[in-house]
Amino acid sequence: MNTLSRSFAAAVAACLLSLTSAAPLAAQDFKVIVNSANPISDISAAALSKIFLKEAAAFPGGGSATPVDLGKSSPVRAAFSKRIIGRPVSAVDTYWQQQIFSGKDVPPAAKASDDDVIAFVKSTPGAVGYVSAAASTAGVKVVDVK
């Protein structure tokens, strides 16, 4: 292997290493929260995605679910959308435009801040939302996403 090939291989390896080491950090970008009266302690990403796309109206095991989003420009929403729904915010927005146009459903309510999401979840039985990892979640329950 010549020097140029070794340098290229080292650069590719370094890039791949940085991507794999960043993956666990992305999981810490947000916390999923529910109303404190909700009995669940964890939820699968697939079930959460169905709730936020309104393909499911209840939590696994029962109890109605009312999702609440952060605003479209929120970096926390971008992380949630990518990790949980598996699509960028723009693709989720397109999905909702199609749902609205076909008369099927409307998107979840969107709140301007973590505090607004927390207040909504705190006051709404069955509510589920997400906030930044640094947000204080007093009065609501943080659930693990499997």
Side-chain angles (χ1 to χ4, degrees):
M1 205 187 269
N2 66 30
T3 305
L4 184 59
S5 295
R6 275 190 233 128
S7 295
F8 180 73
V12 169
C15 183
L16 290 174
L17 181 61
S18 72
L19 289 174
T20 57
S21 64
L25 294 177
Q28 302 301 319
D29 289 346
F30 60 86
K31 297 185 262 190
V32 174
I33 59 172
V34 296
N35 184 280
S36 61
N38 194 318
I40 70 166
S41 59
D42 59 45
I43 189 167
S44 72
L48 196 55
S49 176
K50 286 182 179 185
I51 289 169
F52 273 83
L53 294 175
K54 293 190 175 179
E55 295 170 352
F59 290 100
S64 67
T66 305
V68 59
D69 270 321
L70 283 167
K72 290 178 188 177
S73 63
S74 166
V76 178
R77 181 169 176 173
F80 177 86
S81 181
K82 184 122 175 141
R83 178 164 173 241
I84 301 301
I85 300 175
R87 303 177 194 177
V89 173
S90 59
V92 175
D93 192 38
T94 299
Y95 166 84
W96 283 115
Q97 290 172 7
Q98 293 168 344
Q99 296 298 303
I100 292 167
F101 183 74
S102 64
K104 292 183 180 173
D105 214 336
V106 296
K111 302 298 179 184
S113 69
D114 287 345
D115 289 342
D116 292 341
V117 169
I118 291 166
F120 180 85
V121 170
K122 193 184 294 188
S123 66
T124 308
V128 58
Y130 53 88
V131 294
S132 68
S136 171
T137 52
V140 296
K141 186 194 301 186
V142 176
V143 296
D144 292 326
V145 179
K146 303 185 283 180

